[in-house]
Amino acid sequence: MKPNPTRSALILIDMENGFVDHRGGHCIRGAQATIPACTRALDMARSKGIPVFFVKRIYRADGSDVELTRYAAWKAGGHACTPASQGPNSAQAPESLRPQPGDYTIIKPRWSAFFQTELDLILRRLDVRTVILAGTTTPNCIRTSCYDAISLEYNTVILTDCCSSQTEEIQRVNLEDMQRAGAILMDTAAFTGYGPDTIQDISAAIRAEMLASDVFPEPFTAERDAVGWVDRW
């Protein structure tokens, strides 16, 4: 394992044939065009010592774990992304987007890369503070992963030319919403210069401010018979 001075991880979500290939049952219109940018991002991350996580959605053949809101489309689309599947409607990834030695693979049961997966546990073991999200689809898997990452106190970057939606308008408004929620938008051209000082560790900055302060987290009185604010609830 290489040193990771940026304390970051690149998370590539759902870049599988079933979502990317135009013959796939869950094809996302803009996904195919992002393959070159995603490939460049993977290469750059590995060269910088940034661990790469491939987060995949694989459906059981009987449909027992398909999302309620996707089940009808999953049946109509030919039961895409089942285990060991190959070809244009499969969980197989395009050739340039497949794991290499040293990469991680996470199988997720729902949209978010964090929901009921071991991703957060491994990131913390690796001392990762910033997650860099790429893949498809922006309004579903990227967005839910983004909000979960922010909730879990990760600095969160979205590689804008490495994620995709069904329309340009859906892509634009979702990127804008994530930016308003605190995500940092960046394209692969900017990622070329990504280094240890590119992203501020917001959580660390807040913690330093708290440690330097003499403010108690809650109002408190040391008087024996006084009624504290908690007792008024």
Side-chain angles (χ1 to χ4, degrees):
M1 181 180 292
K2 292 183 178 180
N4 181 13
T6 69
R7 299 178 70 190
S8 303
L10 176 62
I11 301 171
L12 185 70
I13 302 175
D14 284 351
M15 291 299 286
E16 308 167 38
N17 287 338
F19 293 96
V20 173
D21 194 289
H22 70 277
R23 296 163 291 179
H26 301 307
C27 178
I28 305 303
R29 199 169 302 164
Q32 184 98 37
T34 68
I35 291 176
C38 289
T39 302
R40 290 194 301 272
L42 292 174
D43 291 342
M44 285 189 282
R46 293 180 182 119
S47 71
K48 295 173 185 289
I50 296 173
V52 171
F53 287 76
F54 291 87
V55 178
K56 298 175 67 72
R57 187 67 176 99
I58 297 179
Y59 294 112
R60 294 182 183 276
D62 66 354
S64 56
D65 60 349
V66 178
E67 295 90 343
L68 295 177
T69 55
R70 181 174 275 170
Y71 186 77
W74 179 77
K75 286 201 304 180
H79 297 194
C81 301
T82 53
S85 55
Q86 298 183 41
N89 201 28
S90 71
Q92 191 175 38
E95 187 172 355
S96 65
L97 302 182
R98 296 176 187 174
Q100 296 183 8
D103 297 339
Y104 293 83
T105 297
I106 302 285
I107 307 300
K108 63 186 175 71
R110 287 295 181 262
W111 288 340
S112 172
F114 290 94
F115 182 77
Q116 294 187 5
T117 73
E118 67 274 38
L119 178 59
D120 179 53
L121 176 68
I122 298 173
L123 292 176
R124 294 186 189 280
R125 176 63 58 84
L126 296 178
D127 196 28
V128 166
R129 294 298 310 129
T130 299
V131 296
I132 304 162
L133 301 179
T136 199
T137 160
T138 303
N140 294 344
C141 303
I142 299 295
R143 184 166 175 159
T144 54
S145 300
C146 169
Y147 289 163
D148 280 351
I150 291 172
S151 298
L152 291 166
E153 295 269 308
Y154 291 102
N155 311 301
T156 304
V157 174
I158 311 294
L159 290 182
T160 56
D161 54 343
C162 292
C163 55
S164 51
S165 303
Q166 292 288 20
T167 70
E168 291 183 5
E169 180 68 4
I170 292 172
Q171 179 78 351
R172 180 185 64 80
V173 297
N174 277 276
L175 289 174
E176 290 176 356
D177 270 352
M178 287 187 284
Q179 186 175 42
R180 280 190 286 268
I184 299 162
L185 304 186
M186 179 184 300
D187 61 15
T188 50
F191 188 52
T192 303
Y194 189 90
D197 301 321
T198 301
I199 305 298
Q200 180 194 18
D201 189 342
I202 301 171
S203 183
I206 293 171
R207 182 169 62 252
E209 184 177 313
M210 291 169 57
L211 292 174
S213 170
D214 59 0
V215 177
F216 293 120
E218 300 164 1
F220 181 80
T221 177
E223 296 177 20
R224 185 174 218 169
D225 298 324
V227 178
W229 69 282
V230 174
D231 301 317
R232 299 184 186 278
W233 287 354

